[in-house]
Amino acid sequence: MRVAIIGQSTFAGEVYKQLVKDGHKIVGVFTVPDQGSREDPLATVAASDGVDVFKIKSWRKKGVALPDVLEQYMSIEPELNVMPFCTQFIPMEVINHPKNKSICYHPSILPRHRGASSINWTLMCGDKKAGFSIFWADDGLDTGPILLQREVDVDPNDTVDSLYNRFMYPEGIKAMAEAVKLVSDGKAPKITQPAEGATYDPMLNKKELCKINWDQSAEDIHNFIRGLDSSPGAWTVMDGKEVKLFGSKMFSGSSAEGQEVQLEGLTTPGVIHKDGLLLTGKDGKKLNVARISVDGKMMNASKYGAAAETSETVELTAQEQEVAEKMRETWKAILNMDVADDLDFFKAGAGSMDVVRLVEETKEKAGVSLENEDVYMATTFKEFVQVMVLKMRGGDTKPVFEYDAIKMHVNNMDIEFPNQLFIDGQFVDATSGKFLKSINPATEELICDVHAAGKEDVDRAVAAAKKAFYEGPWGTMNARDRGTLIFRLADLMEQHKEELATIETIDSGAVYTLALKTHVGMSIDTWRYFAGWCDKIEGSTIPINNARPNHNLTITKKEPIGVCGLVTPWNYPLMMLSWKMAACLAAGNTVVIKPAQVSPLTALKFAELSVRAGIPPGVISVLPGTGSVCGQAIADHKDVRKLGFTGSTEIGQVIMKSCAVSNLKKVSLELGGKSPFIIFADCDLDKAVRMGMSSVFFNKGENCIAAGRLFVEEAIHDEFVKRVVEECKKMVIGDPLNRGTAHGPQNHKAHFDKLLEYIDIGLKEGATLMYGGKRVDRPGYFLHPTVFTNVEDHMFIAKEESFGPIMVISKFGNGQVEEVVARANNTEYGLASGVMTKDISKALLVSEKLDAGTCFVNTYNKTDVAAPFGGFKQSGFGKDLGREALHEYLKTKTITFEY
C-alpha cells in the first residue's frame, strides 16, 4: 500500500521502519522543519532511504489550507495517511484525500484524555490503566472512530518515561503496523467513540498548569509530580526559589530525620534526608522526591543545601576513548550538531524521547545499561562519558553509599556495621518501630538494637526485588557480567574478612579463628564458586519425532525463578546466607532474606558490601526480624516464587504448608538431624578420637551435621571413651576472640537453657555422664563439653538432636555390622552420617546402606563448595552447594520448533 507518514519524533521514525519492513511503499514523509541544525529523526531515516521528505512549517493559514503545501502533498498520491505522532493541525483536504483516509496514534484510551498532553494527564489523574488508541482522523480533536486500542496496568511509580519505555513505545510501533495491515486487508473496524467518559485535558504548555497544589492528598501530589516527570516538570517554590520535582514515590515509613525546608503553600515543612525530599500531603501521608532541578541544574534532592561534591575525573583507556567517540557520533546524530565536551544535551534541544534513544544506543554501542536518570543527572557530553565509563567498569554512578553505622573497637580493630533493614539498596528503619536485641553471648551484654521487619517491610522488599528482576538491570544483565559482580563481592568480603569474622564472633559466639577460616572463609569460597557458574548454566537439545513431512526440534532453557525468599539459621550466620544466596543470585534471581533474629549482624554487613560491589538496588534485601512475623510474611507472599529454609523440622513443616497454601512456591528445606557416626574396632583409633571430637564439638556443637549419636564397637568402646574425656579436659574454654580458645559460648540464652534441660533428661533416663554437663563458672553462655555413655536406643537423647556440645555414645557388639546400620537408620532424620574403618569393603557397604544425604568415611565435617549438601526424610530435601544447588533456583522451559 502507498503510505504517506505525517508527523515527527523517533517513534514516527520507528513506525516508518516497520512499515517499510512489512512491504509498504512510503511515498512521502511530512514532518516539521529543522530546529536550528537539528533534523527530526523521521526526516533523517526517510531521507537515507531516498524517500521524499517535506518539512512543513504550517499546513494552514487562518484556518485555510495553504495551496503550495496541498500541491506538494497531492503530488505523491498516497492511499493512506499514517500519523504516528503529529503536533500540527492537518487540513481535512489532506485527511480525507487518500482512498483509505487517515489513521492517527493517540497515547490514551479514548475517549478519555483527549488533547496533546494525554499521557501526562493519565498519570496526573491517578488512572489505574493507561494505553493508546489508533483512530480514524476526523474534523474533531481526537474524536474519530476507533480502529484499535491497547491498555496496560499503571504501576504506582510509573512516569511518562517508564510507560513509554515499557509499553507505549514498543507496543505502539507494533500496533501501528498492525493497524496499517488491517486497512490494507480491508478489515479495519470503525468503532464510534462513546460520549460517556470523554474528557479533554489542556496542553501542559502553560507554566501555571504545572504548579503543584499542596492542598490535596499525598497520593494526588505524587500523581501530579510523576505525570510531569520528566517534562515539563512539576514546580513549586522552595526556600524562595522555583524548584522542579522529579522521581516521586509514596513513602511507607513514618518519618525521616534531616534538614527542614519551607515550600510555598505546604503547611508541613519538607525534610531533606539521605534518600531525598520528604513531603507530607493534606491527609498526613508522605511522598519522597528523589531529584530536584534548581536554576536549571538537576541534582539529587538529598544534596540540596549541601556543599557541592567534587569527584575525580576518570582517565579513559584507549578502548574507552574509542567508545566515547562512538557516543559523540550518537549525540551528533540525535542533536544534528557538532558535539563539544561541554555541550548540554537538553539545552541543545533534546527531549524525553531523545533520552530513550540515547539510552538504547548506549546499550548497543558501549554495552552498558544506563537509566534515564543517568542522562538527566549528567547533561553535558563530558559528564555523560564519565558516567558511561564508570558503568563500563562495573562501577556505580550513585553518590557515595552512607548509612548510620554502629561503630565499635573490638578485637584490636575498629569495626562498623548497620542495624537497619536493607531494602532496595538502602538501609531503612522498620515501619513498625520495633527492635531486636543483639546480645554478645560471651558477655551477655547488649551489642545494639536491630530494627525488626514486619509484614509491611516484607511487602516493600519483595516489591523492590520484583522490580529489580523484571525491570532493573539485573534481569537483562549478561550472565558473565553477573558473574563479574559476584566475583567483586567475594573480593570485598575477603578484604573485610577480619571485620566480618569479628562481627560473627561477637554476635554468634563463634571462635574467631574458626569464624575466619570457616564462617567467613568458606563463605568467600562459595561466592567465588557460584560466580564461576553464571555463564555455564545451559539447556539441552532433544531429538523428538518429526511431524512429517515437517521437521521438529526441541530445546530446553534454564531460567531464573524470580523473587526468592531465604530464611537462615543462627549457627553459621554468614555461611548459611552464602550457601543459599550465592546459588540464587548466580542463577539470576533476586532475593529477600531473613537472617536469624539472634545473629543478624554479618548479614547486614554483607548487605553493605553488596552495594559497594555494585549489586543493583532491589536484588538483595536483608530483613532481620522474628520468624513468626517476618519469616511467615516471606513464606506467605504471593510474589515470592521460591523459598529456601534452614532450621528445625517443626518450623520446616510450617514453612512448607505456607508455601503450598500461598502460591505453591518451590521450596527447599535443610532441617534437623541426628547424624549417626559408626566407629568400628578396625579403625585408626587416634584418628577416630580426633574425628569423634570434631564431629560433636566443632563450632560448639552448633552444627547441623554434628554427629548426634556415636556408635562405638564394643572392643574399643572403653578406650575410645577414656581418650575422648582426656581430650575434653584439654579443651580451652573462654573468650572466643582469644586466638588460643577452642570452645566458645553457645549462641543465645534460650538455646543454652534447652541444652541444660537436654542434659537433665539424659541423666534422669539413666545415661552415664562421663564429663561436663554443667555451665562454666563465668559470664556468658558457656557450657562444658559433655559426654554421655550407656545411651540406649529408647532414650530421648538417643533420638533427639541437642544442637550443642553433647556427645552421645552407644555401644554395639563386635562384628554387628548389619545390626548397627539398622540402629543408625532407625530415625526420621537423614542429614549426615559417618563411618570409621580401615576395611574398604565395609566402608563401601555401610556408606551405601546409611540413609542420609551425606556420608563421611574416615573423616567428618569435610564439606566443600563443590559437593552438594542436603538431607533425606525429615531432614528435608533440596541441595545447597555444588552444581545441584543451582537447580533449586532455576526452572526448565521446553521450546519446540517446527520447520
Side-chain angles (χ1 to χ4, degrees):
M1 188 162 56
R2 294 171 60 85
V3 174
I5 296 183
I6 304 173
Q8 71 258 25
S9 78
T10 305
F11 177 72
E14 292 301 317
V15 171
Y16 165 92
K17 291 178 186 177
Q18 188 60 52
L19 295 183
V20 170
K21 184 179 178 181
D22 290 348
H24 300 290
K25 181 175 179 58
I26 309 302
V27 293
V29 162
F30 295 83
T31 187
V32 294
D34 297 351
Q35 296 180 10
S37 59
R38 187 177 179 223
E39 186 176 56
D40 187 82
L42 174 60
T44 302
V45 67
S48 68
D49 288 344
V51 173
D52 289 335
V53 176
F54 305 91
K55 298 177 181 179
I56 308 298
K57 183 178 181 181
S58 177
W59 291 77
R60 305 185 307 178
K61 185 175 182 180
K62 296 182 179 179
V64 178
L66 296 173
D68 57 331
V69 175
L70 276 181
E71 185 179 348
Q72 288 179 312
Y73 170 77
M74 300 295 183
S75 68
I76 63 171
E77 289 300 323
E79 296 174 299
L80 175 71
N81 292 330
V82 173
M83 295 185 281
F85 177 72
C86 182
T87 59
Q88 297 176 309
F89 285 100
I90 310 301
M92 290 308 297
E93 293 94 325
V94 173
I95 295 293
N96 292 326
H97 176 72
K99 69 174 185 179
N100 292 311
K101 309 302 183 192
S102 302
I103 61 173
C104 186
Y105 172 94
H106 183 79
S108 82
I109 306 171
L110 291 172
R112 187 162 170 79
H113 302 305
R114 293 169 176 161
S117 301
S118 54
I119 185 60
N120 305 85
W121 285 103
T122 298
L123 294 173
M124 291 160 68
C125 292
D127 291 5
K128 302 303 181 185
K129 297 278 187 183
F132 56 80
S133 306
I134 298 173
F135 67 95
W136 299 93
D138 64 4
D139 58 355
L141 189 61
D142 306 326
T143 56
I146 301 298
L147 195 160
L148 64 78
Q149 291 181 317
R150 298 285 185 270
E151 66 177 37
V152 66
D153 291 336
V154 177
D155 290 341
N157 294 312
D158 262 328
T159 64
V160 174
D161 280 352
S162 67
L163 274 176
Y164 263 117
N165 289 344
R166 70 182 175 88
F167 183 77
M168 310 291 264
Y169 188 89
E171 295 303 318
I173 294 165
K174 295 177 190 175
M176 286 300 288
E178 181 184 344
V180 172
K181 185 177 189 306
L182 288 171
V183 174
S184 177
D185 293 345
K187 298 178 180 178
K190 293 184 178 180
I191 303 168
T192 302
Q193 291 190 37
E196 184 181 354
T199 63
Y200 173 78
D201 303 305
M203 184 176 180
L204 295 168
N205 59 352
K206 294 181 179 179
K207 184 178 178 180
E208 61 268 22
L209 292 174
C210 303
K211 186 175 183 180
I212 300 169
N213 170 22
W214 297 110
D215 189 27
Q216 51 186 335
S217 71
E219 185 175 5
D220 288 341
I221 296 169
H222 162 66
N223 288 335
F224 188 84
I225 294 172
R226 69 188 179 120
L228 294 167
D229 186 332
S230 57
S231 178
W235 69 276
T236 189
V237 176
M238 185 166 74
D239 290 346
K241 292 182 179 180
E242 284 192 10
V243 175
K244 289 185 176 182
L245 310 184
F246 304 94
S248 172
K249 290 184 178 181
M250 293 300 292
F251 186 77
S252 55
S254 56
S255 62
E257 295 182 1
Q259 167 199 348
E260 289 191 353
V261 289
Q262 300 297 322
L263 291 93
E264 186 179 277
L266 184 61
T267 306
T268 305
V271 178
I272 300 291
H273 65 118
K274 62 185 180 67
D275 296 324
L277 169 60
L278 190 64
L279 302 168
T280 305
K282 183 180 179 181
D283 57 354
K285 295 182 179 179
K286 301 180 187 301
L287 61 143
N288 192 66
V289 170
R291 303 180 306 280
I292 60 175
S293 175
V294 184
D295 297 327
K297 183 66 177 177
M298 190 77 77
M299 67 169 67
N300 288 312
S302 61
K303 299 301 180 184
Y304 177 76
E309 291 182 345
T310 57
S311 57
E312 187 176 343
T313 301
V314 175
E315 293 294 330
L316 274 57
T317 65
Q319 184 179 6
E320 290 165 347
Q321 187 63 51
E322 186 178 329
V323 175
E325 290 308 312
K326 288 182 181 178
M327 294 313 303
R328 193 188 300 273
E329 290 301 311
T330 297
W331 276 51
K332 184 177 180 180
I334 293 173
L335 301 173
N336 201 14
M337 62 178 65
D338 291 332
V339 177
D341 285 353
D342 61 353
L343 180 71
D344 188 289
F345 193 63
F346 298 102
K347 290 180 181 177
S352 60
M353 292 309 298
D354 296 311
V355 173
V356 174
R357 178 181 172 186
L358 179 58
V359 167
E360 289 301 312
E361 294 206 23
T362 304
K363 184 187 299 183
E364 179 183 328
K365 295 180 180 178
V368 292
S369 296
L370 297 181
E371 304 292 333
N372 290 3
E373 178 186 341
D374 293 321
V375 180
Y376 288 119
M377 297 295 291
T379 59
T380 69
F381 182 72
K382 182 177 180 180
E383 293 169 340
F384 171 82
V385 168
Q386 291 285 301
V387 168
M388 179 187 71
V389 169
L390 281 173
K391 288 279 182 99
M392 288 171 65
R393 295 180 182 182
D396 198 349
T397 61
K398 301 290 188 296
V400 175
F401 181 66
E402 297 176 348
Y403 64 90
D404 296 328
I406 303 295
K407 298 181 180 181
M408 302 174 66
H409 184 79
V410 62
N411 199 22
N412 297 316
M413 68 178 75
D414 292 322
I415 64 172
E416 61 178 52
F417 50 85
N419 71 333
Q420 297 169 284
L421 314 182
F422 181 71
I423 300 174
D424 205 14
Q426 295 290 331
F427 286 104
V428 296
D429 293 349
T431 54
S432 67
K434 295 181 179 179
F435 291 87
L436 307 169
K437 292 193 177 297
S438 180
I439 304 294
N440 184 338
T443 64
E444 303 180 54
E445 295 173 349
L446 178 69
I447 301 171
C448 65
D449 290 324
V450 178
H451 286 259
K455 183 180 181 302
E456 298 83 359
D457 302 305
V458 171
D459 290 342
R460 291 161 60 200
V462 171
K466 185 177 179 181
K467 182 177 180 181
F469 183 79
Y470 289 104
E471 300 176 34
W474 192 253
T476 57
M477 187 178 293
N478 292 326
R480 197 163 299 157
D481 294 337
R482 189 166 67 244
T484 298
L485 287 181
I486 295 175
F487 272 122
R488 185 178 298 120
L489 175 57
D491 291 344
L492 274 173
M493 291 172 71
E494 183 158 44
Q495 291 170 26
H496 290 262
K497 63 183 179 183
E498 288 85 3
E499 184 180 21
L500 285 166
T502 300
I503 297 169
E504 190 97 332
T505 296
I506 64 172
D507 197 32
S508 75
V511 171
Y512 175 73
T513 51
L514 180 67
L516 198 60
K517 179 181 183 296
T518 301
H519 289 236
V520 178
M522 192 174 187
S523 296
I524 295 168
D525 291 345
T526 303
W527 285 101
R528 286 185 172 144
Y529 174 80
F530 283 108
W533 268 111
C534 287
D535 60 354
K536 300 170 188 68
I537 298 170
E538 301 168 341
S540 58
T541 58
I542 303 170
I544 65 170
N545 289 344
N546 294 321
R548 299 181 185 278
N550 294 333
H551 296 270
N552 294 94
L553 173 68
T554 291
I555 65 170
T556 61
K557 288 181 64 182
K558 296 290 186 180
E559 298 181 346
I561 293 172
V563 179
C564 298
L566 301 178
V567 179
T568 51
W570 44 259
N571 57 327
Y572 294 102
L574 184 62
M575 196 170 80
M576 291 295 98
L577 173 152
S578 301
W579 279 23
K580 294 185 184 299
M581 193 187 295
C584 178
L585 294 189
N589 301 286
T590 56
V591 64
V592 177
I593 184 171
K594 188 203 85 67
Q597 69 185 72
V598 292
S599 303
L601 299 184
T602 41
L604 292 170
K605 183 67 180 180
F606 166 86
E608 175 203 329
L609 297 180
S610 75
V611 177
R612 302 194 190 286
I615 304 294
V619 174
I620 298 171
S621 289
V622 180
L623 304 181
T626 63
S628 60
V629 177
C630 179
Q632 190 65 52
I634 294 173
D636 289 339
H637 206 291
K638 294 186 182 299
D639 286 333
V640 174
R641 294 296 174 184
K642 154 74 197 237
L643 193 136
F645 171 77
T646 295
S648 71
T649 297
E650 294 76 17
I651 300 301
Q653 292 169 330
V654 174
I655 290 279
M656 191 171 177
K657 182 177 180 180
S658 297
C659 290
V661 171
S662 58
N663 60 347
L664 278 177
K665 57 175 63 69
K666 187 177 182 180
V667 61
S668 55
L669 304 171
E670 195 246 284
L671 306 175
K674 187 65 176 174
S675 301
F677 192 9
I678 304 174
I679 301 174
F680 289 100
D682 61 357
C683 69
D684 177 338
L685 187 56
D686 290 339
K687 185 174 184 181
V689 171
R690 291 198 308 274
M691 289 300 106
M693 293 289 292
S694 173
S695 73
V696 176
F697 301 124
F698 188 82
N699 198 48
K700 320 154 280 164
E702 295 169 353
N703 189 19
C704 50
I705 57 172
R709 191 175 180 194
L710 275 64
F711 293 92
V712 182
E713 196 163 3
E714 185 175 6
I716 61 169
H717 175 272
D718 293 349
E719 181 64 19
F720 179 86
V721 172
K722 175 186 172 185
R723 292 199 192 186
V724 162
V725 171
E726 289 172 353
E727 292 300 316
C728 286
K729 292 175 180 178
K730 298 175 187 177
M731 289 179 68
V732 178
I733 304 173
D735 181 359
L737 291 171
N738 190 312
R739 296 341 186 233
T741 298
H743 188 78
Q746 306 311 133
N747 184 277
H748 57 281
K749 187 177 186 305
H751 177 57
F752 181 74
D753 291 342
K754 284 184 179 179
L755 291 176
L756 294 175
E757 182 182 352
Y758 186 94
I759 292 167
D760 189 52
I761 292 172
L763 289 170
K764 288 178 179 178
E765 287 190 331
T768 303
L769 178 65
M770 298 298 296
Y771 186 80
K774 60 183 179 180
R775 182 173 191 162
V776 178
D777 187 17
R778 59 165 294 161
Y781 309 128
F782 291 89
L783 181 67
H784 282 287
T786 298
V787 180
F788 277 108
T789 60
N790 297 322
V791 178
E792 299 178 14
D793 291 0
H794 69 274
M795 292 181 178
F796 176 84
I797 65 173
K799 296 185 290 184
E800 297 300 327
E801 180 182 31
S802 72
F803 213 65
I806 302 173
M807 184 178 286
V808 175
I809 303 174
S810 296
K811 187 189 301 183
F812 69 93
N814 294 329
Q816 294 183 351
V817 177
E818 291 185 4
E819 291 85 348
V820 74
V821 169
R823 292 173 68 190
N825 283 335
N826 187 25
T827 173
E828 275 299 300
Y829 299 112
L831 188 57
S833 59
V835 56
M836 296 291 296
T837 177
K838 291 179 181 177
D839 185 337
I840 187 64
S841 295
K842 187 187 296 181
L844 286 168
L845 175 66
V846 173
S847 63
E848 180 182 301
K849 296 293 185 182
L850 285 171
D851 193 13
T854 295
C855 184
F856 300 106
V857 178
N858 292 329
T859 187
Y860 207 89
N861 285 327
K862 179 54 181 169
T863 54
D864 188 271
V865 296
F869 178 92
F872 298 161
K873 299 185 286 188
Q874 289 197 44
S875 286
F877 49 84
K879 297 295 182 183
D880 291 327
L881 303 180
R883 183 176 187 173
E884 286 195 38
L886 289 168
H887 300 308
E888 301 296 332
Y889 301 96
L890 292 166
K891 57 189 179 185
T892 302
K893 176 181 286 183
T894 301
I895 304 172
T896 297
F897 300 88
E898 186 161 302
Y899 55 98

